[in-house]
Amino acid sequence: MITKYSKDARGLHCPQALLKTRHGFSQISVQINVKECLKVQLTDKASTEAFPQMAALSGRALLLCEQHHDSYRYVLQKSGVGQ
């Protein structure tokens, strides 16, 4: 898994954290190879429910979802070329 791209949304609350993530992914998705991933870090506990739902709705594969202290880390992979 290549996590060449990352987005720091720590300190933002949902839905702002999700919007920042979607906006970031849309900006770099043209450049991302199918095997490359986007790592996102959040601090909002609500992201544990909202983020996986957003990933599924946007057609991204959620490869990692973990908590470390007060921070949550997610790794997304785009589903196909041109997404």
Side-chain angles (χ1 to χ4, degrees):
M1 168 179 20
I2 302 168
T3 54
K4 182 172 156 180
Y5 301 96
S6 64
K7 200 68 165 171
D8 187 351
R10 291 177 287 187
L12 296 177
H13 297 284
C14 290
Q16 290 85 8
L18 296 176
L19 293 172
K20 183 174 182 176
T21 300
R22 289 185 71 173
H23 183 265
F25 214 113
S26 70
Q27 287 183 320
I28 63 174
S29 65
V30 174
Q31 303 169 20
I32 294 180
N33 179 311
V34 174
K35 293 183 180 186
E36 291 175 332
C37 300
L38 172 68
K39 178 177 72 172
V40 183
Q41 293 185 340
L42 301 144
T43 50
D44 187 7
K45 187 175 182 175
S47 70
T48 59
E49 290 185 28
F51 198 85
Q53 291 174 1
M54 185 276 298
L57 289 172
S58 65
R60 311 291 185 226
L62 184 59
L63 302 179
L64 178 72
C65 178
E66 66 181 8
Q67 179 181 0
H68 183 65
H69 299 290
D70 293 335
S71 184
Y72 303 91
R73 184 170 63 159
Y74 303 95
V75 175
L76 291 162
Q77 183 178 42
K78 71 179 196 174
S79 299
V81 177
Q83 287 190 350

